[in-house]
Amino acid sequence: MKISKQIGKSVNRLEGHLKVTGAAKYAGEYDVPGLLQGYIVNSTITKGKILEIDESAAHALSGVVAIFSHNNRTKLPWFDIMYADMDAPPGTPFKPFYNDQILYNGQPIALVVAETFETARYAATLIKVTYDEEPFETELAAHLDDARDPKKGIATFIKPLPPSANGDFEKAYNDADVQYAGEFIHGTEHHNPLELFTTTTVYEGDGKLTVYDKTQGTSNCQIYIANVFGLHYKDVRILSPFVGGAFGSGLRPQYQLFLCVMASLELKRNVRVTMDRAQMFTFGHRPQTIQKTRFGATADGTVTAINHTAIAETSQHEDYTEVVVNWANMLYPAKNTLLDYKLVPLDVFSPMDMRAPGGSTGLHAIEATMDALSYILKVDPMELRLLNYAERDVSANKPFSSKELKQCYLQGAEKFGWANRKSEPRTTRRGNRLVGTGMSSGIWDVIALPAKAKASINKKGKLKVKSAVTDIGTGTLTVMTQIAADSLGIHIDDVTFEYGDSNMPLSPIQGGSYTTGVVGSAVKAACESLKKKIFKKAKKMNNSTFNSVALEDVVFEDGSMHLKQDKSNFVTFKEIIADNDGKKIKASKNNIPNVLKLKQYTRAAHSAAFVEVEVDEQLGIVNVTRAVTAVAAGKIINPKTARSQILGGMIWGISKALREETLMDHNLGKYMNTDLGEYHIPVHADIHELDVIFVDEKDDIINELGSKGVGEIGLASMAPAIANAIYHATGKRVNKFPIHFDQLL
Amino acid sequence: MHDKNSSNTANFSSNSNATKVQLHINKTTLHLHVMPWVSLLDAIRDHGKLTGTKKGCDHGQCGACTVICDGKRILSCLTLAVMKDGSEITTIEGIANGEVLHPLQTAFIEHDAFQCGYCTPGQICSAIAMLEEGKADTRDEVKEQMSGNLCRCGANTNIIDAIMEFKDKRNE
Amino acid sequence: MNNFTYQKVSNPNDALNKISKNNAANFIAGGTNLIDLWKYNLAHPKTLVDINGLNDYKAIKEDDHGGLFLGALATNSDTAYHKLVEERYPLLSKAILAGASAQIRNSASNGGNLLQRTRCYYFYDASSPCNKRNPGSGCPAKNGLNRIHAILGTSEDCIAVFPSDMCIALAALEAVVHVKSPDGEREIEFSNFHRLPGDTPELDNNLKENELITGISLPSEGFAENYSYLKLRDRNSYAFALVSVATGMVLENNKITKIRIALGGIAHKPWRVVAAEEFLVDKSPTEENFASAANMILKGAKGFGKNDFKIELSKRAIVRNCIMALDPESQRPGAQPSL
């Protein structure tokens, strides 16, 4: 029987059974003996100095084991580099409990460790802290004059600064037949995965630790913990098999990991530290960003001038940057451009990548500006995009490795019924509601990074593949298993993918939509390497018919190897290993991207979103009644899980455009809606008809799989399409996200 | 109901103020000695070692801790273990019949109605109890009645698809 | 988050004894608000007296005056889905179902609903100043994040709003709250139950410390023909109201003979203006007349910057909801506006 190819097949999530039965264990759910529980105390001032921490009442409570703060912390290194993780922006990483300085509101300042969770939590409220407060600044809009260029660092490699100006923007803009200028305001957002950040540290003795951590990078946390606490890498094992959502929040080791490990090492005990929901607002966030655009076009709709500037907040200690303004000229080949990105350091924690960082911010400004131009020009919004379609990336003067955005427009429009649209705003009504439709382009980088994987096959013919990578709900386990099955030519049930463990081969942090491409390519490479070894063993077998053939002459299929020309001439993997005295055959591969080749191309996934909104004319209530997103992301390994990724991105787009925002009281310097009751993410009742199309796209350049990743691209185009649809419905262009219904009254 | 062999005693506190509480969880009786301030959620997760019930906010704002208590879906984070002494509680671990999944669990897998899986136990418990309540018929009513269960990954449409499919099959 | 002792009681006198002997004792019924407040270190009970064993207060039954008595310990769900409530007081049913989530409604008691505390951000953050929580410490909301705050009945000290949906319907229905104390029983008209903040924002209502709510009685008029509850909020469900409106009316020959309009989300208590209701009597149920009444109801409304929109929004919500009351079928799940 021939085994069907797994790549391209809608395989159900392999961990599905564990997740629907409650058997999937997350970092805070490992039952270890003698576990102590930690509860964190946070600063209630925004800037200044701790004068005194009075722990007496807390210590007096029965069951309190220890209280840690900067006063009694472990001796720590003072070199910044020792705290730098894989995702650290240029600057000085935050060092928990380092000294008495308060850098932001909510900064962790003490940890209570007790016999029970409840005791630790109560004791934490009994700690009295006195401060010397200093003036602080948290409001971006009040400090735009302080904006400066970001510092460069390793992060700039993945997040390039804006390309330099082309042509003469000011002249071209002034000469343009039509112009649109807009200001776009984005507030702060927090990732708020549903699982709270938590770490369980198992103290193994002899300087050895096993750490269950909520993270997007087991290797990243391993290196961080080893560096900070002066341990051997091999003695720190980070496990993260199930991650209850992360969306970027787990790209950097969070402070509960540091605190939990410190307490465990000091007390030589097993310790768990879990953040509460309010504490989930005390580390990275999507930064406040204020953008300005000025686009000019000829009367026939050719965009000739693009000016896009962004000013974003960062912390006082790190220069966190995003790619916000680089996209417009990748999408639209205007000859005159002026792109600028600046930062304002404020008294907040460092911002952090949050699903489609920068892209979802910048595309709103770009696509709303294009939309506005289309109404001025009286050209259909999609037609304007097609008129300005970039066959080549003029911003970098490179070809695209592949680009099926045009098909996204056409197929998306077809499915949505875009052609039936009335062009004038405020022309369609249903009962009390105005109906509008809008669309947007989307683009997201394809990033290539090195990654390692190991593959082995045993006497039962079972393939095991390993990588330290996590699965944050993206479907990584399933997708890697599919890739491994096809790479070796084996039934998917005979494949085990092991992951989420820093003892396994090094993987980059899971983010940027690159995991499938990066780790998948490593898995494929490891299996290819394993094939070679299997082939060699097969050649050595008695009476082997493979003696005289080359690797190219054989096919690996159905758990066996056969001659390309003669299927009946085969040997099973089991037979080969039996001949190898039953010993496993193993292979390992460090897959390093061909940077020289990749550099010749602009590599990006694309999308087009089409959205219908209904707006209650009297009350302003907006509903996204239906939406279609068409995606060109190269080879789709698993259409089912990939569709879910896009749907998730679309719902994030609804949330970004209409729902979520962290509210800061700038008088107090403090986020105030730090709970899921007042930080509004969409509920089921907010989500209506959503549809996804994957457009065929072949790409031989980007990686071995031709796969571009789908984690962010669904979000990139969704939020601007909603804003554009609201304009079409109401005639009001609201450039501030989220668009609350009261802005439409 | 009271299966001696599967009875489980967890003595979590040496404090004499601890209260004896019996929770009949998933047809097994759990004998606990808990302090009065232990939430039902923490009792189930930490004392009962049933970690399928999730803590997403601990403040009644996400639905991840939903369990079925005496036939009704409630938030286990907003009640105390001592208040539920003697109650019949079904958690996600008690939804399947042994190795045989509940049809809604199967529908969740088929519809890919989860990504990270952290809201999933709450969604499933909530949906099963909702269908027992019989107050939601249309898709809009189901969405409203399920709105107490947040999903941050954005599996919303797949979740509602799975519930509607199960509901329709059940009514056939 | 503090430790406390816990006692169950099975008769009302026992309950009242326990509470009067211990001034840091609290009754607990559903617990959906009290446990939350305790976890935020905002409530610090020394003793919790669990009154769920007071079975006499769980019933929903017809009273001797043609009305309906809702036991204080009946859950919100049992009340909303009770046959007599659905038939005779559908406005109450709709309002209850617009609140919180199904899970919370399954636990929350009717008595507890009346005693919900505000969801003001500053009240809910133990480290922020707040006159309601810590009298004299100040009110950062006035010059801060006040989009969700009150526009009517505010004071220098407090601009918080009362978050209940159920109580907005109870205000429109002119319910009566029954309470019991060691001194005996008394009845409190709904309009006198909750308070405006004035210079005592720490007091949400006029319930005395030694009193227990035993039930709520509804008068015979339930507006079962023409009623509507509309809730406007930042998402379609599971969020507190920015503005909500309960309307019940009686029509004869296309003239209003009786109407009650109560607003939520805009004041420290459910908001009614009797003069506006009287204005509508004998008038036709038209948008113009409802708009005039809306102006009367919002008279004196004052915003604090971010919540200025609530003034206009409230007026529009009143008009829409009164129109919806003419066709109660136009109501949608989650008290969303009619299509």
Side-chain angles (χ1 to χ4, degrees):
Chain A
M1 195 188 76
K2 178 144 173 64
I3 301 167
S4 63
K5 285 282 178 205
Q6 294 299 319
I7 292 179
K9 207 171 147 188
S10 283
V11 177
N12 287 340
R13 270 172 220 267
L14 299 174
E15 80 285 16
H17 192 281
L18 294 176
K19 283 181 174 170
V20 300
T21 56
K25 285 222 179 293
Y26 297 78
E29 299 176 343
Y30 284 85
D31 185 20
V32 292
L35 186 67
L36 296 174
Q37 300 273 356
Y39 208 89
I40 303 156
V41 180
N42 302 77
S43 160
T44 57
I45 69 158
T46 304
K47 193 175 184 180
K49 209 182 253 188
I50 301 168
L51 294 177
E52 196 197 345
I53 300 180
D54 177 359
E55 303 168 352
S56 52
H59 269 303
L61 207 62
S62 159
V64 171
V65 175
I67 299 172
F68 295 97
S69 69
H70 70 281
N71 289 320
N72 64 343
R73 64 159 167 78
T74 308
K75 195 167 184 305
L76 293 168
W78 55 273
F79 287 112
D80 285 349
I81 189 74
M82 302 306 275
Y83 295 85
D85 60 273
M86 289 179 180
D87 197 32
T92 302
F94 174 66
K95 303 173 189 128
F97 290 12
Y98 196 68
N99 55 27
D100 58 358
Q101 297 296 313
I102 298 298
L103 305 176
Y104 71 102
N105 208 311
Q107 176 178 319
I109 53 173
L111 177 76
V112 181
V113 181
E115 297 288 348
T116 68
F117 165 71
E118 289 82 4
T119 303
R121 183 176 63 177
Y122 179 25
T125 67
L126 299 176
I127 291 177
K128 299 279 173 283
V129 186
T130 45
Y131 304 95
D132 182 11
E133 290 192 58
E134 291 169 26
F136 52 82
E137 299 299 338
T138 55
E139 190 172 8
L140 178 63
H143 291 277
L144 297 178
D145 293 344
D146 302 335
R148 59 159 174 79
D149 288 327
K151 290 178 204 139
K152 287 182 186 171
I154 298 168
T156 324
F157 170 71
I158 287 182
K159 295 173 170 179
L161 294 172
S164 46
N166 264 330
D168 183 343
F169 167 78
E170 295 296 345
K171 183 176 184 308
Y173 182 72
N174 287 327
D175 292 350
D177 296 328
V178 297
Q179 299 155 331
Y180 180 81
E183 186 181 35
F184 299 84
I185 297 168
H186 288 214
T188 303
E189 296 171 14
H190 280 83
H191 309 72
N192 276 310
L194 221 45
E195 183 196 16
L196 300 163
F197 267 81
T198 185
T199 305
T200 306
T201 303
V202 183
Y203 185 80
E204 309 275 16
D206 294 339
K208 288 191 172 65
L209 299 175
T210 301
V211 183
Y212 298 94
D213 188 44
K214 176 181 177 68
T215 179
Q216 289 171 255
T218 56
S219 309
N220 193 28
C221 290
Q222 178 193 33
I223 294 163
Y224 173 82
I225 289 300
N227 283 346
V228 169
F229 294 102
L231 304 170
H232 295 294
Y233 295 126
K234 63 175 175 47
D235 290 342
V236 180
R237 183 180 185 195
I238 309 279
L239 292 159
S240 197
F242 289 97
V243 180
F247 316 109
S249 60
L251 289 172
R252 305 187 69 183
Q254 295 309 349
Y255 64 75
Q256 95 291 341
L257 170 67
F258 175 101
L259 300 183
C260 185
V261 168
M262 181 174 77
S264 179
L265 288 170
E266 285 290 314
L267 300 171
K268 302 186 172 20
R269 293 277 302 267
N270 302 334
V271 181
R272 174 173 302 150
V273 177
T274 306
M275 290 192 191
D276 62 28
R277 182 52 65 178
Q279 287 162 347
M280 297 287 284
F281 291 79
T282 59
F283 56 94
H285 55 276
R286 197 193 293 281
Q288 311 173 61
T289 306
I290 296 175
Q291 303 172 72
K292 285 184 176 167
T293 57
R294 286 184 296 162
F295 285 15
T298 61
D300 67 0
T302 305
V303 177
T304 52
I306 290 176
N307 173 209
H308 187 187
T309 63
I311 299 177
E313 69 170 351
T314 190
S315 63
Q316 302 285 7
H317 57 277
E318 284 174 320
D319 270 18
Y320 169 82
T321 62
E322 295 183 336
V323 177
V324 176
V325 302
N326 304 11
W327 310 102
N329 204 216
M330 290 168 75
L331 283 166
Y332 309 114
K335 293 201 170 65
N336 304 283
T337 59
L338 188 57
L339 308 173
D340 191 39
Y341 178 78
K342 286 195 163 54
L343 295 178
V344 175
L346 296 170
D347 297 307
V348 296
F349 194 72
S350 299
M352 194 175 181
D353 288 340
M354 179 165 162
R355 204 169 190 175
S360 62
T361 308
L363 279 161
H364 172 215
I366 296 161
E367 291 298 298
T369 302
M370 287 295 284
D371 198 61
L373 276 182
S374 78
Y375 286 92
I376 299 167
L377 287 160
K378 298 196 186 302
V379 175
D380 178 85
M382 186 173 83
E383 195 55 41
L384 184 65
R385 269 87 170 175
L386 288 168
L387 276 169
N388 290 282
Y389 194 80
E391 298 289 358
R392 189 181 164 81
D393 175 12
V394 304
S395 73
N397 193 24
K398 289 176 189 175
F400 289 99
S401 63
S402 62
K403 181 181 174 183
E404 295 294 345
L405 176 59
K406 195 171 278 178
Q407 280 305 312
C408 293
Y409 291 140
L410 298 176
Q411 292 181 31
E414 173 71 25
K415 182 116 190 182
F416 183 81
W418 183 258
N420 305 326
R421 178 180 194 263
K422 289 181 193 164
S423 56
E424 281 294 302
R426 295 184 65 86
T427 44
T428 308
R429 280 166 203 277
R430 281 178 205 144
N432 295 314
R433 295 147 295 150
L434 292 163
V435 183
T437 53
M439 58 84 58
S440 168
S441 317
I443 181 168
W444 188 255
D445 270 354
V446 178
I447 296 162
L449 293 168
K452 198 173 172 184
K454 283 184 182 168
S456 67
I457 186 159
N458 69 10
K459 60 185 175 187
K460 290 180 178 165
K462 304 278 185 191
L463 171 66
K464 189 181 279 184
V465 183
K466 295 181 182 183
S467 160
V469 72
T470 52
D471 183 342
I472 54 174
T474 42
T476 306
L477 161 64
T478 311
V479 162
M480 294 305 150
T481 307
Q482 288 174 267
I483 293 168
D486 280 11
S487 300
L488 194 66
I490 194 168
H491 195 284
I492 191 166
D493 292 346
D494 291 330
V495 183
T496 310
F497 181 66
E498 295 187 349
Y499 64 103
D501 181 347
S502 63
N503 274 2
M504 292 178 183
L506 185 76
S507 156
I509 42 180
Q510 182 175 33
S513 290
Y514 56 65
T515 297
T516 299
V518 167
V519 180
S521 295
V523 165
K524 185 162 195 262
C527 291
E528 294 298 338
S529 173
L530 185 63
K531 273 184 189 172
K532 281 182 200 159
K533 292 194 173 172
I534 292 171
F535 180 68
K536 272 189 191 165
K537 299 278 183 200
K539 278 170 91 95
K540 285 182 192 155
M541 290 170 80
N542 283 339
N543 308 321
S544 174
T545 51
F546 299 95
N547 272 331
S548 54
V549 299
L551 187 60
E552 297 79 53
D553 300 324
V554 296
V555 175
F556 289 76
E557 210 169 50
D558 301 356
S560 64
M561 206 180 86
H562 65 75
L563 284 178
K564 220 177 238 178
Q565 310 300 340
D566 177 10
K567 278 195 178 183
S568 64
N569 207 336
F570 70 93
V571 56
T572 66
F573 299 156
K574 277 190 214 169
E575 288 166 342
I576 299 168
I577 292 162
D579 192 70
N580 193 37
D581 300 330
K583 280 185 290 186
K584 280 183 199 166
I585 304 175
K586 298 180 195 171
S588 171
K589 187 77 186 175
N590 196 2
N591 193 57
I592 296 163
N594 183 345
V595 180
L596 289 178
K597 182 175 86 175
L598 293 171
K599 266 178 70 177
Q600 297 166 30
Y601 298 90
T602 291
R603 294 156 285 129
H606 291 88
S607 65
F610 298 84
V611 166
E612 178 192 88
V613 297
E614 288 182 353
V615 183
D616 188 290
E617 195 177 9
Q618 187 178 28
L619 302 171
I621 305 283
V622 182
N623 272 285
V624 174
T625 42
R626 62 191 182 93
V628 175
T629 297
V631 177
K635 181 73 192 168
I636 301 302
I637 309 291
N638 183 331
K640 186 178 267 192
T641 54
R643 177 175 174 274
S644 294
Q645 283 289 291
I646 300 299
L647 288 171
M650 291 169 78
I651 290 166
W652 271 60
I654 293 171
S655 191
K656 184 174 182 62
L658 302 175
R659 294 286 180 265
E660 68 186 270
E661 181 180 25
T662 318
L663 300 168
M664 163 82 76
D665 182 319
H666 295 296
N667 298 320
L668 301 176
K670 179 172 199 171
Y671 299 123
M672 294 308 303
N673 59 333
T674 56
D675 61 62
L676 294 177
E678 297 298 334
Y679 185 93
H680 296 122
I681 66 169
V683 292
H684 290 304
D686 289 323
I687 305 303
H688 308 298
E689 277 178 49
L690 302 178
D691 207 349
V692 179
I693 297 171
F694 290 109
V695 165
D696 282 341
E697 186 176 71
K698 194 167 161 27
D699 193 317
D700 298 327
I701 307 294
I702 44 169
N703 53 46
E704 295 301 309
L705 296 160
S707 176
K708 289 181 175 176
V710 289
E712 357 261 314
I713 189 68
L715 167 55
S717 47
M718 187 68 181
I722 294 168
N724 294 343
I726 289 172
Y727 173 77
H728 186 236
T730 63
K732 284 185 188 158
R733 193 165 288 285
V734 183
N735 288 341
K736 182 181 178 299
F737 274 173
I739 302 174
H740 284 308
F741 68 98
D742 44 89
Q743 289 165 272
L744 298 168
L745 290 179
Chain B
M1 279 277 87
H2 295 247
D3 179 354
K4 264 190 187 167
N5 294 328
S6 58
S7 274
N8 189 352
T9 301
N11 197 336
F12 241 76
S13 176
S14 52
N15 194 318
S16 57
N17 290 335
T19 309
K20 276 190 183 175
V21 174
Q22 279 189 30
L23 300 174
H24 308 296
I25 303 186
N26 304 329
K27 307 199 169 165
T28 297
T29 300
L30 188 66
H31 300 275
L32 299 175
H33 287 84
V34 291
M35 302 309 288
W37 49 84
V38 174
S39 72
L40 178 61
L41 173 60
D42 291 327
I44 291 170
R45 279 172 65 86
D46 296 345
H47 300 213
K49 311 290 182 199
L50 292 168
T51 55
T53 305
K54 302 303 182 197
K55 184 187 277 189
C57 72
D58 213 18
H59 289 283
Q61 297 168 338
C62 76
C65 69
T66 302
V67 296
I68 304 171
C69 179
D70 296 327
K72 290 180 175 172
R73 48 177 166 160
I74 64 162
L75 298 179
S76 58
C77 76
L78 288 187
T79 193
L80 302 171
V82 288
M83 293 171 69
K84 297 299 172 190
D85 186 20
S87 290
E88 295 281 342
I89 294 165
T90 304
T91 68
I92 189 66
E93 290 92 345
I95 298 294
N97 183 5
E99 282 303 297
V100 183
L101 291 183
H102 185 285
L104 184 63
Q105 291 173 313
T106 309
F108 262 62
I109 294 174
E110 285 300 322
H111 286 272
D112 206 32
F114 49 85
Q115 292 175 32
C116 80
Y118 203 76
C119 74
T120 313
Q123 301 276 1
I124 290 173
C125 287
S126 185
I128 287 172
M130 174 194 70
L131 294 170
E132 286 300 313
E133 288 160 13
K135 303 295 182 188
D137 188 32
T138 66
R139 192 177 173 99
D140 277 353
E141 286 165 351
V142 167
K143 286 197 293 194
E144 162 59 26
Q145 287 281 345
M146 284 299 296
S147 281
N149 293 86
L150 301 182
C151 169
R152 182 54 157 165
C153 294
N156 305 71
T157 52
N158 292 346
I159 292 168
I160 302 299
D161 285 347
I163 296 170
M164 293 306 287
E165 184 195 81
F166 168 62
K167 181 178 159 300
D168 293 345
K169 275 189 186 162
R170 190 169 169 259
N171 293 345
E172 269 167 19
Chain C
M1 251 174 306
N2 57 293
N3 298 344
F4 48 76
T5 58
Y6 169 87
Q7 298 169 357
K8 280 186 176 163
V9 291
S10 53
N11 80 70
N13 290 334
D14 196 14
L16 290 166
N17 267 334
K18 290 222 155 68
I19 207 110
S20 60
K21 280 186 187 152
N22 183 346
N23 60 13
N26 289 67
F27 293 130
I28 186 162
T32 52
N33 196 206
L34 180 57
I35 291 174
D36 187 39
L37 292 163
W38 165 73
K39 282 187 186 175
Y40 276 119
N41 202 22
L42 306 175
H44 310 96
K46 291 274 187 298
T47 297
L48 286 184
V49 179
D50 184 340
I51 54 173
N52 286 295
L54 306 183
N55 292 325
D56 289 353
Y57 302 147
K58 285 184 178 164
I60 294 172
K61 58 191 180 200
E62 290 177 295
D63 66 17
D64 301 337
H65 319 288
L68 194 67
F69 185 85
L70 311 172
L73 290 171
T75 65
N76 286 179
S77 295
D78 286 348
T79 308
Y81 293 126
H82 194 279
K83 197 164 162 275
L84 291 172
V85 175
E86 284 183 331
E87 278 173 12
R88 294 183 50 194
Y89 305 94
L91 173 61
L92 178 61
S93 183
K94 295 280 182 192
I96 292 173
L97 296 177
S101 69
Q103 289 96 314
I104 293 173
R105 297 191 294 264
N106 277 340
S107 290
S109 70
N110 290 337
N113 192 297
L114 269 57
L115 303 179
Q116 280 182 80
R117 313 264 0 231
T118 183
R119 310 305 291 207
C120 169
Y121 311 127
Y122 302 94
F123 173 78
Y124 250 84
D125 173 37
S127 65
S128 290
C130 170
N131 288 327
K132 183 180 273 297
R133 197 167 18 77
N134 185 9
S137 62
C139 174
K142 281 192 298 182
N143 297 311
L145 299 169
N146 53 42
R147 183 169 170 273
I148 64 174
H149 286 75
I151 51 170
L152 283 162
T154 55
S155 74
E156 276 302 301
D157 291 342
C158 183
I159 62 169
V161 302
F162 178 57
S164 168
D165 291 294
M166 178 182 184
C167 289
I168 309 310
L170 291 175
L173 290 165
E174 298 184 308
V176 174
V177 183
H178 296 247
V179 304
K180 186 178 169 72
S181 73
D183 310 327
E185 296 183 5
R186 67 175 180 128
E187 295 178 2
I188 309 170
E189 287 189 14
F190 210 80
S191 56
N192 290 330
F193 186 83
H194 295 101
R195 296 167 59 97
L196 289 179
D199 56 6
T200 53
E202 67 276 18
L203 300 177
D204 293 349
N205 55 60
N206 290 316
L207 192 72
K208 291 178 193 154
E209 278 189 351
N210 63 349
E211 286 179 324
L212 172 67
I213 301 174
T214 58
I216 302 153
S217 59
L218 303 174
S220 57
E221 179 58 72
F223 305 105
E225 297 296 319
N226 290 105
Y227 66 91
S228 180
Y229 187 72
L230 174 63
K231 184 174 182 181
L232 303 174
R233 39 181 161 174
D234 279 328
R235 60 186 175 193
N236 286 346
S237 188
Y238 207 14
F240 292 95
L242 286 164
V243 173
S244 70
V245 190
T247 301
M249 70 175 104
V250 180
L251 291 170
E252 269 174 48
N253 302 322
N254 204 35
K255 286 270 194 295
I256 297 167
T257 59
K258 186 176 183 183
I259 185 164
R260 295 290 177 266
I261 301 170
L263 267 69
I266 50 122
H268 199 262
K269 61 183 287 189
W271 196 261
R272 267 184 66 201
V273 173
V274 173
E277 294 167 356
E278 284 171 354
F279 162 81
L280 287 169
V281 172
D282 292 332
K283 300 233 168 31
S284 303
T286 63
E287 283 204 21
E288 292 71 24
N289 286 331
F290 292 136
S292 301
N295 280 327
M296 294 171 78
I297 293 170
L298 271 297
K299 195 167 167 239
K302 180 180 137 215
F304 293 84
K306 294 186 161 61
N307 66 346
D308 294 350
F309 74 94
K310 281 191 177 185
I311 300 171
E312 177 62 21
L313 183 67
S314 298
K315 291 178 184 176
R316 295 186 187 194
I318 291 167
V319 173
R320 172 65 75 81
N321 195 52
C322 288
I323 296 294
M324 286 166 69
L326 301 175
D327 175 18
E329 292 294 305
S330 66
Q331 294 178 82
R332 294 162 60 223
Q336 294 178 55
S338 53
L339 294 174

